[in-house]
Amino acid sequence: QLSANFYDKSCPNALPTIRIAVRSAIARENRMGASLLRLHFHDCFVNGCDGSVLLDDTPTFTGEKTAAPNNNSLRGFDVIDNIKAHIEGICPQVVSCADILAVAARESVVALGGPTWVVQLGRRDSTTASLDTANNDIPAPTFDLGDLTKSFSNKGLSATDMIALSGAHTIGQARCVNFRNRIYSETNIDTSLATSLKSNCPNTTGDNNISPLDASTPYAFDNFYYKNLLNKKGVLHSDQQLFNGGSADSQTTTYSSNMATFFTDFSAAMVKMGNINPITGSSGQIRKNCRKVN
Ligand code: HEM
Ligand SMILES: [Ca+2]
Ligand SMILES: [Ca+2]
């Protein structure tokens, strides 16, 4: 039901407005592209791509922002607010927050040198959120290959999609708490990477200290994530699962030497992820403010 030209008549400047705002946000802070891409993922995996992740908690409403994978971790909400305010100024209550997330994710990838794809549009915004689903359905960095594959298949995405989408970790940062066990206790990690990560991730403190997921090119959307995995330089336990003697090894090896194939598969998988359970028709709403139900 989604379509690429959904706003062509109702808000022709929506997409250029998002592109310009994303580019200027990344120019202000180079990490922001990664943060915006991740917001769309954490939206789509919880009740579908419906903007649920953007809703603030209130005394009478429980949102998703305090879920374990999101708390002290998701960022970029202010950038989405700014984009939404601009678009409300040109076309009031036409463009959903869920669609803004989908387009901002694409523009972030493109701005950092990655592939482009046609974003399907027409998602509407939820009036609900689910803390429990955010806690249960977003894959954890402690997962092994089987659990990673299952969490994606639960959303209609294949193992191929999972391996390609994980390439998003070619950009962005992770907190010490999410890779401490790996660098202190696991053996399938390059010794020099473990040593260098330990300097900013002590054994018992510094949970929120950050390090790049791709130490080689943290601000370029390229295939270094997979090259790193071949060298046991995955930062998260879950990352290294994609090259650990199992069924993901051959696809990871292909991507490590063939960036075009990675880009093609990543783009296709982003479209599939963006199609997870959208709200369309007259269900849901177009929020005026992405942080709250109208
Ligand atoms: C395969 C399962 C996945 C797991 C277990 C996982 C886990 C994580 C974790 C633990 C972090 C660091 C968060 C923190 O320390 O605060 C992270 C960051 C990130 N993830 Fe994933 N992720 C997965 C898949 C994805 C997918 C599918 C995407 C997007 C398509 C994605 C995009 C990102 C980005 C861009 C960052 C960096 C964000 C920033 O710097 O603000 N991840 N992920
Ligand atoms: Ca959602
Ligand atoms: Ca990179």
Side-chain angles (χ1 to χ4, degrees), residues 209-224:
N209 295 357
I210 55 169
S211 292
L213 285 159
D214 168 8
S216 307
T217 57
Y219 301 108
F221 197 100
D222 54 18
N223 64 340
F224 270 85

Side-chain angles (χ1 to χ4, degrees), residues 10 29 34 49 111 114 137 140 146-147 163 178 185 195-196 230 239-240 268:
S10 58
E29 192 210 4
C49 313
D137 287 13
D147 290 324
I163 297 164
N178 284 317
S185 306
T195 303
S196 84
L230 264 59
D239 290 329
Q240 197 59 51

Side-chain angles (χ1 to χ4, degrees), residues 31 34-35 37-38 41-42 72-73 75 139-141 148 152 162 165-166 168-169 171-175 178 213 236 238 266 270 273:
R31 182 183 176 189
S35 303
L37 173 58
R38 187 167 184 238
F41 166 48
H42 283 214
N72 294 321
S73 185
R75 51 206 300 289
L148 292 168
F152 279 68
M162 185 276 288
L165 287 170
S166 297
H169 291 175
I171 55 174
Q173 309 274 328
R175 289 172 304 139
N178 284 317
L213 285 159
L236 305 176
S238 52
F266 182 83
M270 284 297 293
M273 186 176 86

Side-chain angles (χ1 to χ4, degrees), residues 26 45-46 57 66 88 110 147 151 153 175 184 186 193 203-204 210 257 270 272 291:
I26 294 173
F45 264 55
V46 180
D57 284 10
T66 58
E88 286 301 293
V110 171
D147 290 324
S151 81
S153 74
R175 289 172 304 139
Y184 286 99
E186 295 187 346
L193 176 72
N203 218 326
T204 54
I210 55 169
S257 62
M270 284 297 293
K272 280 176 75 172
R291 290 178 184 268

